[in-house]
Amino acid sequence: MVRTAKDIDARLYTILYKISDPEIPALSIIDLGIVQKVTLEGKHVEIDITPTYTGCPAMDSISMEIRYTLEQYGYSCLVNLVLDPAWTTDFISDVGLQKLKDYGVAPPLSTEKDKRVLYDGERLVPCPRCNSTNSKMISQFGSTACKSLFQCEDCMEPFDYFKCHK
Amino acid sequence: MQRALYKYILLLGDNALVLGHRLSELCGHGPSLETDIALTNMSLDYFGQVRNYFQYAAELEGGSEDSIAFLRKERQYVNCLLVEQKNTDFAYIIMRQFLFDHWYLLILESLCSSKDERINAIANKAIKEVKYHHRFSETWVQRLAGGTSESFKRIQDATTFLYPYTQELIVANAIEVEMHEAGIGPDLKDIGQHYYDQIHTVFNKTGLQKPEENFFHKGGKEGIHTEHLGFILAELQYMQRTYPNMQW
Amino acid sequence: MNLSLENLEKQFQDRIDAGDNIEPKDWMPEKYRKTHIRQISQHAHSEIVGMLPEGNWITRAPSLRRKVALLAKVQDEAGHGLYLYSAAETLGISRDELFNQLHTGKAKYSSIFNYPAVTWADMGAIGWLVDGAAIINQVMLTRTSYGPYARAMVRICKEESFHQRQGFEIMLTLSKGTAEQKEMAQDALDRWWWPSLMMFGPTDAASTHTEQSMKWKIKRKTNDELRQQFIDITAPQAEFLGLKIPDPALQWNEERGHYDFGEINWDEFWQVVKGYGPCNKERINARVKAWDEGAWVREAALAYAEKKDSIQKAI
């Protein structure tokens, strides 16, 4: 079950919201949907986070940053990496999707459209700059595991597309 | 039982480790930037799985993900022989990947309903990425087979050389039998049937021929490797062996 | 309206002065186009060649965590290269031509990558110092006049900040580790310090191109200014690590409000730029080899795509 943001203690929510994915700094770990469970007992916090991609190297640094940040606020903290529930792009919040777009990364399409785009070369991904769907895939694999590289053939902007991961 | 489970995890983890290693040798040397990125990405996925597998293994029998990955001796690694084959050329890289991906995807599909919760979770995570690898390798087999006469010759050579390494994947050893009986691992006979059906279908479509001789290599799962593994370990283990007992 | 070339160029410069971005489909002077092809492609080449010293250590990374981080870093660099090549291509040059320029030495890449990555600690030093210097150069470019380049720089800078932190973290782990590890870290710093300072180019007095680059906002600060900025930020970091920067003249100057530092070996700088550094040939050879050996693969992909296309058309 995906924990929605409102299940998290309000004080902790505000603190955690400030922590972002180091590879996509526009996205808070809350909006990214990797924070699964937060339990608070007195001043001790236990947090479960689920990695986006199996090999995601940011998880270690995110764990450290969570612990460090909470310690600055006077909490003691234990961060657990859990594999279940397995993260999917569905976990990204609506705010997160918009922030991705503002940052210049096209948010993930539905599973079905994603396949058509990546494997059949269909032009469905809207350019984050000009919104045109006249975009072509340059590379299925981009600079990070979650992204593909596209180019808009209308305004010529190269951009990253966040792949559907389900 | 725990010992058998531990050994089973090593079977899974060592395949990911050695194949991940072979792919990681290619960084900066791919035939195009796009393929370079793809191969690096796949290597990253495998090492992520290695960490998941070996962290679990360490919880069961002690040690750490790193001691399990880096400090065993040659005869203690139990990867299949297919994954230690060299990156001879791009056709070999693709065919090795294709032959492995088709098998591994079937394995993961089964492990997604493993009675062992942790393996179940690892598989559910890994399968998302392996589906991409599977698609990638199959697409490239088609491209190379259907591209030019040179690319066809090369992928055919790779097929002839690597096909004899496939049977080991689907012949269960004692550990795999025990795991299947416990509802943790798959029935390799069943997997084997689907596996060969699938790869032969692709061969038929693309005009690739499997070798005529009914000869297959084995031994990897019992720790008897080709001469390649020694060199792989020499590189892989170098830092941990030369600077023992340090934090990195 | 007088559309003489002179007028067009003036209007163009006015737009830049007003802070407008130039986009791929806008009119631009030929020199601007050519300069940007060179600037962006050399940046892309640097990312690609930069994969080699680090890629070299992936198979020998000392822990799984470090291996995964290094793989991701190299993938990131490849992705940045691809992104920048795509941006350069929209200005009117093909990928083949771009690689040809790199392989024949017509186009340059950042000289820093002509130094060898000799020990594991080099991975820390490269992340900390080389990425650190690159970020300082790149931050300036986030407000450059050519839109796609500026926007790429915003994202690339953020992603490289993560790499730099990881590099620093490697150095920290080593310097707080065993005596052998600390020695390894110090040795890497000794070898990478001066070449990192050279990443900012010749002194202002010896620099050409600067005026035009300033007008088009490719450069917003001078080489010496950026180099000073780097030293001021990095010297305290070295102190924090408990390592010594290999410059006896390095000293905080209260009056200037900056660190004083020693003379750079400009002979070495020019030698390396000219092609006589420790691994210039190895770097290019590696790229040429990969490209040449990959020719049959690219041809196959093209042939297959064409066959599929004509089948589609026939249907």
Side-chain angles (χ1 to χ4, degrees):
Chain A
M1 259 315 294
V2 179
R3 288 250 156 187
T4 52
K6 56 179 167 24
D7 294 342
I8 300 173
D9 175 283
R11 292 159 292 173
L12 293 178
Y13 180 87
T14 320
I15 298 171
L16 291 173
Y17 199 87
K18 296 204 188 87
I19 300 172
S20 56
D21 181 326
E23 284 180 321
I24 313 166
L27 270 195
S28 152
I29 57 175
I30 300 281
D31 285 327
L32 188 52
I34 59 173
V35 179
Q36 282 309 299
K37 194 163 86 162
V38 180
T39 38
L40 174 65
E41 258 185 63
K43 287 295 255 180
H44 181 71
V45 186
E46 199 167 319
I47 300 184
D48 286 353
I49 56 175
T50 183
T52 51
Y53 282 72
T54 304
C56 179
M59 296 317 282
D60 288 316
S61 90
I62 288 175
S63 297
M64 286 196 302
E65 201 172 337
I66 291 175
R67 277 201 305 276
Y68 177 77
T69 308
L70 285 174
E71 277 159 20
Q72 298 297 100
Y73 282 93
Y75 295 93
S76 67
C77 176
L78 177 65
V79 179
N80 303 316
L81 220 63
V82 300
L83 293 179
D84 183 33
W87 182 86
T88 77
T89 35
D90 282 347
F91 289 21
I92 304 177
S93 70
D94 288 338
V95 169
L97 294 173
Q98 184 59 47
K99 287 202 172 153
L100 271 178
K101 186 166 181 243
D102 295 339
Y103 182 65
V105 176
L109 299 173
S110 68
T111 317
E112 194 246 326
K113 283 192 176 157
D114 183 85
K115 277 206 179 71
R116 283 154 60 191
V117 159
L118 294 180
Y119 300 122
D120 301 328
E122 265 190 64
R123 297 181 171 219
L124 298 170
V125 182
C127 167
R129 239 196 116 230
C130 75
N131 277 317
S132 157
T133 50
N134 188 16
S135 59
K136 75 164 197 270
M137 182 174 84
I138 294 183
S139 172
Q140 190 195 322
F141 296 90
S143 54
T144 62
C146 49
K147 300 190 286 205
S148 293
L149 186 66
F150 277 70
Q151 187 158 31
C152 176
E153 301 226 287
D154 278 355
C155 74
M156 308 311 286
E157 180 86 343
F159 63 89
D160 285 324
Y161 164 63
F162 201 110
K163 290 183 282 200
C164 175
H165 190 65
K166 278 211 252 225
Chain B
M1 174 55 173
Q2 178 169 292
R3 187 75 197 157
L5 177 60
Y6 173 78
K7 287 182 166 174
Y8 185 63
I9 296 167
L10 294 190
L11 282 169
L12 295 169
D14 282 350
N15 281 340
L17 178 70
V18 176
L19 186 52
H21 180 94
R22 278 301 192 209
L23 291 171
S24 74
E25 291 173 342
L26 299 165
C27 276
H29 306 290
S32 66
L33 202 40
E34 289 81 346
T35 47
D36 215 308
I37 296 175
L39 297 169
T40 306
N41 191 317
M42 294 196 302
S43 178
L44 184 57
D45 288 341
Y46 284 118
F47 280 108
Q49 291 172 29
V50 169
R51 298 191 70 192
N52 287 340
Y53 289 128
F54 289 172
Q55 280 166 17
Y56 185 31
E59 285 166 30
L60 294 174
E61 297 268 309
S64 67
E65 56 175 353
D66 286 335
S67 68
I68 295 172
F70 296 103
L71 297 179
R72 281 177 285 154
K73 301 201 165 65
E74 307 78 349
R75 299 277 278 100
Q76 293 170 313
Y77 286 85
V78 288
N79 56 284
C80 63
L81 301 180
L82 175 65
V83 295
E84 60 193 64
Q85 298 310 305
K86 295 186 92 160
N87 295 327
T88 306
D89 71 4
F90 189 68
Y92 275 71
I93 293 163
I94 288 302
M95 182 48 64
R96 180 185 65 203
Q97 199 61 47
F98 169 78
L99 293 174
F100 184 78
D101 285 339
H102 274 267
W103 173 80
Y104 194 37
L105 190 56
L106 290 166
I107 295 289
L108 288 174
E109 277 167 359
S110 165
L111 291 179
C112 279
S113 28
S114 172
K115 282 210 180 117
D116 182 286
E117 259 181 52
R118 187 72 162 268
I119 290 192
N120 185 313
I122 295 174
N124 269 292
K125 191 97 196 110
I127 198 167
K128 298 187 208 301
E129 289 127 23
V130 174
K131 279 190 181 142
Y132 275 119
H133 304 174
H134 178 271
R135 192 82 190 234
F136 177 81
S137 59
E138 186 165 312
T139 304
W140 270 104
V141 167
Q142 290 166 348
R143 262 191 208 125
L144 295 182
T148 61
S149 54
E150 174 169 13
S151 67
F152 180 83
K153 178 175 184 308
R154 287 184 186 247
I155 192 81
Q156 178 60 66
D157 281 349
T159 306
T160 308
F161 185 85
L162 293 170
Y163 187 86
Y165 291 97
T166 55
Q167 194 188 72
E168 185 184 21
L169 297 170
I170 53 100
V171 173
N173 67 7
I175 300 292
E176 288 163 315
V177 169
E178 195 179 331
M179 288 295 107
H180 176 56
E181 285 166 358
I184 293 178
D187 173 4
L188 284 189
K189 266 215 186 70
D190 188 51
I191 298 270
Q193 204 136 357
H194 290 295
Y195 174 63
Y196 280 117
D197 274 346
Q198 286 176 14
I199 60 178
H200 293 158
T201 302
V202 175
F203 286 175
N204 289 335
K205 255 177 67 187
T206 54
L208 289 169
Q209 306 281 342
K210 66 180 175 75
E212 280 176 23
E213 311 89 352
N214 190 27
F215 164 71
F216 292 94
H217 295 285
K218 59 184 196 274
K221 297 199 287 201
E222 312 315 315
I224 301 172
H225 292 279
T226 68
E227 292 180 349
H228 300 313
L229 189 70
F231 292 102
I232 290 175
L233 296 180
E235 260 181 62
L236 184 76
Q237 299 187 347
Y238 170 76
M239 288 297 290
Q240 288 263 344
R241 296 278 184 203
T242 311
Y243 300 94
N245 303 313
M246 299 185 198
Q247 296 303 314
W248 298 99
Chain C
M1 189 153 116
N2 189 351
L3 288 174
S4 72
L5 190 60
E6 222 181 279
N7 247 292
L8 279 172
E9 286 184 5
K10 181 168 184 310
Q11 280 171 29
F12 178 79
Q13 188 60 47
D14 287 344
R15 283 188 61 199
I16 296 181
D17 293 341
D20 247 10
N21 268 344
I22 307 298
E23 299 299 342
K25 291 187 163 172
D26 294 346
W27 182 88
M28 57 185 80
E30 204 41 39
K31 189 142 186 263
Y32 183 89
R33 179 187 301 279
K34 286 208 160 75
T35 300
H36 278 80
I37 289 178
R38 195 189 70 231
Q39 170 90 6
I40 296 172
S41 64
Q42 289 189 170
H43 199 149
H45 295 323
S46 299
E47 295 277 357
I48 302 314
V49 176
M51 290 167 68
L52 295 171
E54 291 169 318
N56 190 28
W57 272 92
I58 291 174
T59 55
R60 290 171 294 162
S63 73
L64 291 173
R65 182 168 80 98
R66 293 295 182 201
K67 195 188 282 281
V68 159
L70 197 52
L71 271 164
K73 180 172 202 262
V74 171
Q75 182 178 345
D76 225 343
E77 285 155 9
H80 292 165
L82 191 55
Y83 195 103
L84 290 167
Y85 281 131
S86 305
E89 283 160 14
T90 58
L91 285 170
I93 186 168
S94 71
R95 186 78 60 86
D96 275 357
E97 243 179 289
L98 286 167
F99 280 145
N100 187 267
Q101 287 180 350
L102 174 65
H103 298 165
T104 55
K106 262 183 80 188
K108 302 229 161 293
Y109 55 89
S110 188
S111 270
I112 190 74
F113 301 120
N114 293 316
Y115 289 88
V118 183
T119 71
W120 168 251
D122 290 35
M123 295 301 104
I126 291 174
W128 172 40
L129 300 174
V130 175
D131 283 329
I135 289 167
I136 288 180
N137 273 324
Q138 282 164 188
V139 161
M140 189 183 57
L141 290 168
T142 56
R143 289 175 302 149
T144 194
S145 58
Y146 189 56
Y149 195 31
R151 289 186 294 271
M153 287 301 103
V154 173
R155 284 200 283 288
I156 288 176
C157 274
K158 292 213 171 108
E159 287 160 19
E160 282 188 359
S161 297
F162 179 45
H163 298 163
Q164 199 213 2
R165 287 207 316 269
Q166 289 185 310
F168 185 76
E169 210 247 307
I170 291 175
M171 294 303 271
L172 189 60
T173 307
L174 294 175
S175 64
K176 304 290 173 225
T178 65
E180 259 185 296
Q181 287 175 307
K182 184 163 183 179
E183 197 184 319
M184 206 197 289
Q186 182 61 62
D187 171 70
L189 172 55
D190 289 345
R191 285 181 289 101
W192 287 92
W193 175 253
W194 291 103
S196 300
L197 295 192
M198 293 178 197
M199 282 176 74
F200 297 96
T203 56
D204 295 348
S207 266
T208 52
H209 295 308
T210 303
E211 205 203 304
Q212 186 62 274
S213 301
M214 292 284 210
K215 272 175 72 180
W216 288 335
K217 301 186 180 171
I218 297 174
K219 247 184 163 50
R220 300 179 77 101
K221 284 192 181 168
T222 70
N223 292 353
D224 288 338
E225 281 172 336
L226 294 171
R227 189 173 5 248
Q228 183 69 70
Q229 193 183 330
F230 175 73
I231 296 172
D232 291 344
I233 291 174
T234 314
Q237 292 174 344
E239 262 185 66
F240 180 82
L241 289 173
L243 298 176
K244 197 165 183 331
I245 287 177
D247 179 0
L250 185 73
Q251 193 157 286
W252 177 252
N253 183 320
E254 191 59 53
E255 248 185 82
R256 282 203 313 131
H258 293 290
Y259 278 88
D260 288 335
F261 57 98
E263 190 63 22
I264 289 172
N265 183 344
W266 294 110
D267 281 338
E268 182 183 327
F269 173 81
W270 289 112
Q271 283 299 310
V272 178
V273 163
K274 287 200 184 104
Y276 302 113
C279 14
N280 299 55
K281 295 210 164 65
E282 282 85 343
R283 298 297 182 224
I284 291 298
N285 288 348
R287 292 305 312 153
V288 172
K289 183 167 189 276
W291 188 247
D292 287 350
E293 287 182 357
W296 70 268
V297 178
R298 297 189 302 275
E299 277 156 26
L302 206 58
Y304 183 75
E306 281 167 6
K307 282 186 203 166
K308 265 186 91 180
D309 245 355
S310 50
I311 293 176
Q312 296 273 57
K313 288 189 177 121
I315 289 177

